[in-house]
Amino acid sequence: MTRSNVLEIEPLSPAIGAVLRGVNLAERASDDLVGDIRAALLKHQVIFFEGQDFTPTQQRDFAARFGDLHVHPLYDRDEGHPEIMIIDNHVDNPTDNNFWHTDVTFIDTPPMGSILAARQLPPVGGDTMWASMTAAYNALSKPMQTFLQGLEAVHDFSYAFTADGLAGSQAGREKYEKAVAANPPVTHPVIRSHPETGEPGIFVNSVFTRRIKGLRREESKALMAFLNNHIQQPEFVVRWRWRPGDVAFWDNRNTQHRAVDDFLPHRRIMTRATVLGDKPVFKA
């Protein structure tokens, strides 16, 4: 059986998303299979695996095949696996990621991707949506594309995570202040070139992007409001209804995502491994 027959790919929309079948993530993938998964990720931007049953150790090890792993400075981690972040939302711990965002853009080398596994799901609700920043960029007018290509934006850990916010307050003052000190504001281009495909995409988001450099305050706010609204168009978006054993792997360099906060008072537990990337640049 050829590898093309082993790995079945079902696209979910023209812009973004595909289901990959014929993969058992609990087993160590061959280098060829890892290459095929990477190629599918580059083409579809977010890929889904159904019916998986793998441990946090296996999740960490699979993610590590794609690069070094990030350890989040605030969120809870799996015991014995600091690279595995636990997202456990319930009545006493509501979600704080129900806004469109790209993960961890507050560091110099934001993640190349994240791998999210469903561990406990509500009876209904709790979907996640992803949007293609490549498609969103391509839908802009040429003059707007040219204008944005010359801009940079400030991404700030403390803009997203405030001391009295949910994650900051739960972490405790000492841990929070240490995280702020270790993550000063960074600057990234508003439009970044994908380091593997070369395709341009929008690289600002409502959660971590504090302002656009060089613009007056109201100009920055207006432009950010336009971009944050623009990227949500349904033509750019895929929505995934989670089932037990589902795993999502998204390219963090050219997507944004949002958890749908509609499942309380039920509980939703996910685990995430995040693969570090490189410094964003724009190449004309």
Side-chain angles (χ1 to χ4, degrees):
M1 184 178 292
T2 65
R3 284 189 289 110
S4 59
N5 288 331
V6 171
L7 189 58
E8 177 187 339
I9 302 175
E10 178 190 350
L12 296 176
S13 79
I16 183 173
V19 178
L20 270 61
R21 299 189 175 93
V23 180
N24 181 358
L25 298 181
E27 299 176 352
R28 179 174 171 81
S30 67
D31 291 343
D32 285 341
L33 182 55
V34 169
D36 287 348
I37 292 173
R38 181 184 287 274
L41 181 69
L42 293 178
K43 181 176 181 180
H44 299 286
Q45 303 185 339
V46 57
I47 53 179
F48 302 96
F49 306 87
E50 300 171 307
Q52 302 296 318
D53 182 15
F54 70 155
T55 65
T57 298
Q58 291 165 335
Q59 183 178 5
R60 178 200 63 193
D61 292 347
F62 173 69
R65 299 295 299 280
F66 297 89
D68 295 332
L69 303 185
H70 178 258
V71 177
H72 200 280
L74 285 187
Y75 285 124
D76 289 339
R77 309 163 190 170
D78 184 79
E79 185 176 353
H81 303 89
E83 307 91 347
I84 299 296
M85 189 174 87
I86 300 174
I87 306 170
D88 183 358
N89 298 125
H90 46 81
V91 172
D92 295 324
N93 185 42
T95 183
D96 62 352
N97 65 347
N98 58 326
F99 301 94
W100 284 101
H101 66 284
T102 301
D103 285 336
V104 196
T105 63
F106 56 81
I107 62 176
D108 279 324
T109 56
M112 68 78 66
S114 290
I115 298 168
L116 187 68
R119 301 297 182 180
Q120 179 176 327
L121 296 171
V124 67
D127 298 355
T128 305
M129 300 184 292
W130 285 263
S132 168
M133 296 303 97
T134 307
Y137 172 83
N138 289 336
L140 295 170
S141 67
K142 293 298 182 183
M144 179 59 79
Q145 290 177 354
T146 301
F147 172 60
L148 294 175
Q149 288 170 8
L151 298 176
E152 293 182 324
V154 176
H155 296 242
D156 192 343
F157 174 87
S158 63
Y159 183 65
F161 299 108
T162 60
D164 57 354
L166 187 63
S169 58
Q170 288 181 345
R173 184 179 183 87
E174 182 178 352
K175 184 177 181 180
Y176 174 76
E177 291 182 350
K178 182 178 179 181
V180 170
N183 294 280
V186 297
T187 299
H188 298 309
V190 170
I191 305 299
R192 75 172 294 180
S193 300
H194 194 286
E196 296 185 71
T197 68
E199 295 179 312
I202 297 169
F203 200 68
V204 292
N205 66 88
S206 65
V207 171
F208 295 116
T209 308
R210 178 179 288 275
R211 60 183 175 87
I212 297 177
K213 292 180 65 176
L215 301 185
R216 296 182 185 276
R217 178 178 299 180
E218 292 305 314
E219 293 172 337
S220 175
K221 288 175 60 177
L223 184 54
M224 283 298 303
F226 165 74
L227 291 173
N228 290 332
N229 182 65
H230 171 73
I231 63 97
Q232 301 177 40
Q233 295 184 54
E235 291 83 359
F236 315 146
V237 173
V238 65
R239 178 166 176 159
W240 186 255
R241 178 174 292 177
W242 294 97
R243 291 172 293 185
D246 284 353
V247 175
F249 184 3
W250 65 91
D251 192 328
N252 198 63
R253 300 164 294 190
N254 56 8
T255 64
Q256 292 192 36
H257 58 280
R258 175 178 178 172
V260 181
D261 185 20
D262 62 353
F263 55 88
L264 296 179
H266 300 287
R267 193 172 189 177
R268 179 180 183 267
I269 304 176
M270 318 291 280
T271 57
R272 192 182 90 189
T274 303
V275 185
L276 287 168
D278 50 8
K279 187 171 179 61
V281 298
F282 174 73
K283 299 178 181 179

